[in-house]
Amino acid sequence: MYQDIITYAKQLQDTCSGYRRDFHKYAETAWFEMRTSAIIAKVLTELGYEVLTGKDVCLEAARIEVPSDEELANHAQLALAQGAPAEYMTEDMKKGFTGVIGILRCGEGPVAALRFDIDALCLIEEETSNHRPWAEGFSSMNHGMMHACGHDGHAAIGLGTAEVLMKIKDQLHGTVKLIFQPGEEGAKGACTIVANGHLDDVDYFVGTHIAPADGPDDGDVTPGTYGSLATNKYDVYYYGQAAHAGGFPENGKSAIVAAANAVLNLTAIPRHSDGITRINVGTIHGGTGRNVIPEEAVMQIEVRGGTTELNHYMDEQARRICRAAGDMAGCECKLVPMGAVESQYSDEDFLEEIARLVETHLPNLKVSSCKNALNWGSEDISLMMNRVQEHGGKATYMRSMTKVASPQHTTAFDFDEQVLTAGVETFAAIVYSLLSC
Ligand SMILES: [Zn+2]
């Protein structure tokens, strides 16, 4: 059967490249992934999957940083004009309820969930002849939205995997959930899917991320990762009192003074002896004119920690300082949460099992010399993994290694598409190994 899986995956190279280039060309950022979701829903439905979309995927109350109704409506029109299949563009999807879950029920047995994130980044893609997507005509048509992290590839791997699993479904016993997650960037999407309970019955959970291979030692598959930083993000608003800066300054309460005090004191949070901590004030805006005491200011801040506990320490300090800085300037402080991620670990026995599976049954792929790699970023897959592990399930977050043209999150990012079928093969083989006995 493993040989069949390798063959099926290889046959899908052009199909997967096609999906990837299509998603790349019509890149969509968080909650705008309407065309992407409609296409995924169509493909899964036609393959024979039970398909969840709209509010059945993401819990409405858990969504954050949702664009305005007008922005969503405009994008829905654009998505249709760019060829989104109209019959799969539901009313909810047009309102930004993106993301799709495909379910394959094969009788009694464990539940395996695979996660593929599908969102693009807010970046303007490079338009030069040595950037392949531009040279070959599939660079982003949506200005300011670009797949620069490889999630177009993840979506393509998900659809390829769906096709292979459907071919081998008679050999499977249990349930497969293919989770196509919106809004990974900025940690917006996973929490809404977790909040809807989709991970509560999952026994085995696997995700992957396309990652740059440094050399031949890196192999093709890193079966596990650990340690991604826990993080909390906030928009911090200060509301003061406007006044004439020359005439009656005593009547004013400066929101900029509040924000400035917050910035200095946030960066002075004592570092923790237990491990990694981070703080960043990314943006700050305030005021209306030179001679007006500024009434409003807003900052985008984030804290991170090497563990969920260390992040909690930074979070408590940061919130206290933000509020106290407001008090000092007589301003009201409002903290609006903008995403949170926990730290994450892959189950050792599960990732070892995957390493053995690749070594034994997938001779065309090589396991990385480091089987469990350290993650330095933050990834909201941690929320899904932690939910599965909390009730005794096994989880791992892999890496699919490939050559890249430029680092992730840069405007010239591109990758070798061979990784797509390698990903399909790995996922399909893992599901087969879990559900065939
Ligand atoms: Zn990513």
Side-chain angles (χ1 to χ4, degrees), residues 117 149 151 184-185 209 379:
D117 44 2
C149 196
H151 302 184
E184 186 282 318
E185 303 292 351
H209 206 298
E379 239 286 359

Side-chain angles (χ1 to χ4, degrees), residues 6 33 101 106 173 187 192 237 250 263 272 282 337 371 401 403 415 430:
I6 296 170
E33 308 98 327
I101 298 178
C106 309
H173 310 281
T192 68
Y237 291 87
E250 71 279 14
V263 174
H272 203 292
K371 290 183 198 162
M401 315 307 285
K403 286 195 214 67
F415 60 83
I430 291 171

Side-chain angles (χ1 to χ4, degrees), residues 115 117 119 121 148-151 154 184-185 208-210 378-379 397 408-409:
R115 179 269 209 167
D117 44 2
D119 59 320
L121 280 155
C149 196
H151 302 184
H154 301 167
E184 186 282 318
E185 303 292 351
T208 196
H209 206 298
I210 288 174
S378 297
E379 239 286 359
Y397 184 36
Q408 267 143 332
H409 291 215

Side-chain angles (χ1 to χ4, degrees), residues 110-226:
V111 179
L114 312 180
R115 179 269 209 167
F116 311 95
D117 44 2
I118 63 171
D119 59 320
L121 280 155
C122 297
L123 271 184
I124 298 168
E125 184 157 12
E126 190 149 306
E127 298 183 348
T128 59
S129 54
N130 46 18
H131 180 50
R132 186 179 59 156
W134 171 256
E136 296 187 16
F138 66 94
S139 61
S140 179
M141 301 288 286
N142 296 339
H143 191 75
M145 298 182 178
M146 178 195 170
H147 275 293
C149 196
H151 302 184
D152 48 350
H154 301 167
I157 291 171
L159 291 180
T161 305
E163 194 164 334
V164 174
L165 291 177
M166 195 49 88
K167 280 191 208 286
I168 63 167
K169 75 171 195 311
D170 292 344
Q171 319 293 320
L172 305 178
H173 310 281
T175 300
V176 185
K177 291 186 182 182
L178 305 179
I179 301 172
F180 293 83
Q181 182 207 311
E184 186 282 318
E185 303 292 351
K188 302 180 185 89
C191 61
T192 68
I193 294 172
V194 172
N196 243 348
H198 292 302
L199 282 303
D200 293 355
D201 62 347
V202 171
D203 301 299
Y204 299 101
F205 176 87
V206 189
T208 196
H209 206 298
I210 288 174
D214 277 340
D217 256 14
D218 267 7
D220 305 295
V221 183
T222 305
T225 56
Y226 68 96

Side-chain angles (χ1 to χ4, degrees), residues 71-388:
E71 289 169 318
L72 290 168
N74 288 343
H75 188 83
Q77 277 194 342
L78 178 69
L80 287 165
Q82 291 179 336
E87 64 276 31
Y88 291 91
M89 281 277 287
T90 63
E91 286 310 306
D92 281 346
M93 212 181 266
K94 289 178 188 166
K95 291 180 183 142
F97 286 91
T98 50
V100 183
I101 298 178
I103 302 173
L104 181 60
R105 295 184 202 279
C106 309
E108 290 288 305
V111 179
L114 312 180
R115 179 269 209 167
F116 311 95
D117 44 2
I118 63 171
D119 59 320
L121 280 155
C122 297
L123 271 184
I124 298 168
E125 184 157 12
E126 190 149 306
E127 298 183 348
T128 59
S129 54
N130 46 18
H131 180 50
R132 186 179 59 156
W134 171 256
E136 296 187 16
F138 66 94
S139 61
S140 179
M141 301 288 286
N142 296 339
H143 191 75
M145 298 182 178
M146 178 195 170
H147 275 293
C149 196
H151 302 184
D152 48 350
H154 301 167
I157 291 171
L159 291 180
T161 305
E163 194 164 334
V164 174
L165 291 177
M166 195 49 88
K167 280 191 208 286
I168 63 167
K169 75 171 195 311
D170 292 344
Q171 319 293 320
L172 305 178
H173 310 281
T175 300
V176 185
K177 291 186 182 182
L178 305 179
I179 301 172
F180 293 83
Q181 182 207 311
E184 186 282 318
E185 303 292 351
K188 302 180 185 89
C191 61
T192 68
I193 294 172
V194 172
N196 243 348
H198 292 302
L199 282 303
D200 293 355
D201 62 347
V202 171
D203 301 299
Y204 299 101
F205 176 87
V206 189
T208 196
H209 206 298
I210 288 174
D214 277 340
D217 256 14
D218 267 7
D220 305 295
V221 183
T222 305
T225 56
Y226 68 96
S228 67
L229 301 179
T231 178
N232 282 74
K233 302 167 195 301
Y234 296 97
D235 284 354
V236 184
Y237 291 87
Y238 288 108
Y239 302 106
Q241 176 67 52
H244 193 299
F248 305 100
E250 71 279 14
N251 291 342
K253 289 170 182 164
S254 171
I256 285 185
V257 169
N261 268 320
V263 174
L264 290 177
N265 287 284
L266 285 168
T267 45
I269 296 173
R271 292 303 179 259
H272 203 292
S273 57
D274 281 355
I276 299 163
T277 56
R278 301 272 190 271
I279 171 79
N280 189 45
V281 180
T283 70
I284 176 164
H285 296 282
T288 52
R290 189 186 308 280
N291 55 0
V292 182
I293 304 287
E295 189 173 24
E296 273 190 43
V298 59
M299 312 186 293
Q300 293 180 306
I301 74 164
E302 61 168 33
V303 294
R304 299 185 195 230
T307 62
T308 301
E309 292 71 27
L310 284 165
N311 182 55
H312 183 65
Y313 161 78
M314 291 299 288
D315 183 59
E316 284 206 318
Q317 299 270 336
R319 285 190 286 127
R320 181 175 53 74
I321 287 166
C322 286
R323 282 193 295 266
D327 279 350
M328 279 172 66
C331 296
E332 190 194 327
C333 172
K334 188 171 87 176
L335 285 150
V336 181
M338 284 291 159
V341 165
E342 296 162 355
S343 67
Q344 140 266 324
Y345 72 94
S346 299
D347 286 288
E348 282 282 343
D349 51 346
F350 190 33
L351 73 90
E352 286 292 343
E353 209 176 303
I354 291 172
R356 267 196 307 279
L357 165 73
V358 174
E359 279 160 0
T360 316
H361 296 294
L362 307 177
N364 60 322
L365 299 180
K366 185 167 171 254
V367 176
S368 303
S369 51
C370 171
K371 290 183 198 162
N372 195 9
L374 176 64
N375 256 335
W376 280 102
S378 297
E379 239 286 359
D380 69 359
I381 197 171
S382 63
L383 302 172
M384 294 182 170
M385 296 174 74
N386 290 350
R387 177 58 64 94
V388 170

